[in-house]
Amino acid sequence: MVNSIKNYLKTNYLLLILLFIAFYLRFAYPTPVCWHPDSVKYLVPLAIIQSGNFDWILSTINFSLLSKVINYIVQINNNGDPSGVIVYQKFIAVISTLLFYLIALRVSAKNKLWSFIFTLIFTMNPLMLFFEQTIMPESLFIFWALLLSFLFIKFTEKENYPYAICFALTLGLMTYTKDSSLLYSTLIFLALIIWSGLKFFKTKNLKPILLTSLIILITLATKLPMQIYNQNKFGEFTFNKFYTNGVLLWFLSEEMLLENPSDKHKWLTYYILMANQACREKYKVPLGQTSRIAFECAITEVNVAARENHLVNPFTGVPVTQEYWNEITPEYYKDTLFRNPKRSWEAFLYNANIMLFKNNFYFYPYRKSDRPGTQYEGVIFTQAPFALNKMVDPLLQNCKVITTENMDEHNIYTDASRNQIIQGYIPFMVNRDTNQAFLYPEKGLSLWLQSNCRTLPWMRIILPVFLSAVFFFLGRIDRWAKNPDFLIVLYLLGSALLFLLLPSIIHGEARYQLQFTHYMLLFILAAFFRSRPN
């Protein structure tokens, strides 16, 4: 027994070092709970649930239902304190580090040194560390994505029913975590159908077709309870009842609507431009100067008003329903894009740049409280019918608060860094309503990484290497076709490209990097280390 343990430690010491680093980064120095504008979609405060005031929750229950359920369980075991959610997210991240290393070993032909280096890059990603302490589903989504990749590799190796079942269940749970997985699952179905068809014509064996059919049926079955719920409550047999098509409008720009607006749904152009003018005044944008932040604020206000049934067509007086809004926004979006090809390309590049190379964490924090004995309180997020958090986070007592005129989240760090008074602190959260930035003491390796690597996102290094790996892979595609791992490498490449392009087309945020960074890293390993087919 002792010898077995010694042999295990001797052969797996790199993995143990990785797990120690991953754990230390996340638990050595506790930090306050961070909030994002979208946090309200994933954590419902316990007080709201207990009060019975959850009609809004039930109408959007399928939107990241798994995160809602887990966050609810954590709250009831912590007297409503949401900080336990952060603890579970960090534990999930440590497990993801283990999964990444195991996959890296497999795709790099068991090259332990490079697997160690790439796993270290993965687990020390400052963006990943930040979102693990934010009420968001990114940590859980990365875990499912890595587990899915691990099971995909095992499934293609063994081609047995247990792995097929586990793969299908994981894919189903992934769709309950993030709605972008719905398109992803469709593409996986298509890839499996092609794979099973080629296998059948080559071997005349029906097993691949049966395995593919089983995966599709089980994955669809996992969605069935939500479809039945939506049928009974809304009369629609659909999985995604939450109306998300309005997010497409974020890809548009102020110049598009001013220069060549869509002829369709002119009342929508009218509302957006009115809201845009109000937001320009709010942000004090000079006349003749465009402002992306003001325009995004306008789109958000119009989109939320429509989803909450507060819009009325000013030309007809007919109320705009959620169903109608979800139907017309794609049509309006496509017509505006086709009318403005140059501006559309500029918007794509803008979103891609924001997502890849800017650090727009979109902090929405606490504010100074007027209540006796309370220093900070949760900011009431106007896009949701409840306060994010009414509990006082004791760790916020260590924060400093400054007032700054530069509330652009792309520049808040560099702006604050020039202030010698706050040396040793990092911008932790920003409150646009009061022009305040909350600064937290820079303690521990995790915060050091977040503060010092924001100005040089790791994507600046990863993306060029990834593109080089793609060209290297395509240059040897004829040899790769003979490699038994060809399907695995295509899976990693396709997943990376899908999650890379989707946010750029719709709305660029730095957090979307986390959906494809691990795929990129694994593809780089596979392309450079599995490029010598037998």
Side-chain angles (χ1 to χ4, degrees), residues 254 257-258 261 268-278 295 298:
E254 183 178 2
L257 300 191
L258 291 174
L268 180 51
T269 303
Y270 167 78
Y271 269 129
I272 294 175
L273 292 178
M274 279 191 60
N276 183 59
Q277 183 58 36
F295 185 75

Side-chain angles (χ1 to χ4, degrees), residues 228-271:
I228 294 174
Y229 171 83
N230 285 331
Q231 175 65 40
N232 292 335
K233 187 171 181 64
F234 305 105
E236 296 182 28
F237 192 71
T238 179
F239 178 82
N240 191 6
K241 182 63 176 66
F242 188 66
Y243 298 107
T244 57
N245 282 345
V247 301
L248 294 172
L249 300 181
W250 273 323
F251 184 77
L252 306 180
S253 66
E254 183 178 2
E255 294 88 345
M256 292 182 190
L257 300 191
L258 291 174
E259 295 172 5
N260 195 9
S262 171
D263 283 338
K264 299 178 180 179
H265 315 293
K266 293 183 179 180
W267 62 269
L268 180 51
T269 303
Y270 167 78
Y271 269 129

Side-chain angles (χ1 to χ4, degrees), residues 48-81:
I48 299 296
I49 298 175
Q50 292 175 339
S51 69
N53 181 23
F54 44 76
D55 286 343
W56 180 81
I57 300 165
L58 290 179
S59 65
T60 62
I61 193 170
N62 60 286
F63 194 89
S64 194
L65 175 62
L66 189 59
S67 294
K68 284 190 176 79
V69 171
I70 294 175
N71 293 344
Y72 168 72
I73 294 172
V74 171
Q75 284 187 90
I76 62 175
N77 287 285
N78 290 277
N79 298 317
D81 184 359

Side-chain angles (χ1 to χ4, degrees), residues 64 94 98 119 147 223 234 270 294 319 333 397 425 461 511:
S64 194
V94 174
L98 170 62
T119 308
L147 181 58
K223 302 176 184 179
F234 305 105
Y270 167 78
Y333 160 79
Q397 305 301 322
Y425 287 76
I461 301 172
R511 64 188 172 104

Side-chain angles (χ1 to χ4, degrees), residues 155-166:
F155 168 71
T156 54
E157 288 177 345
K158 306 293 184 182
E159 292 186 17
N160 60 21
Y161 290 99
Y163 279 120
I165 294 171
C166 292

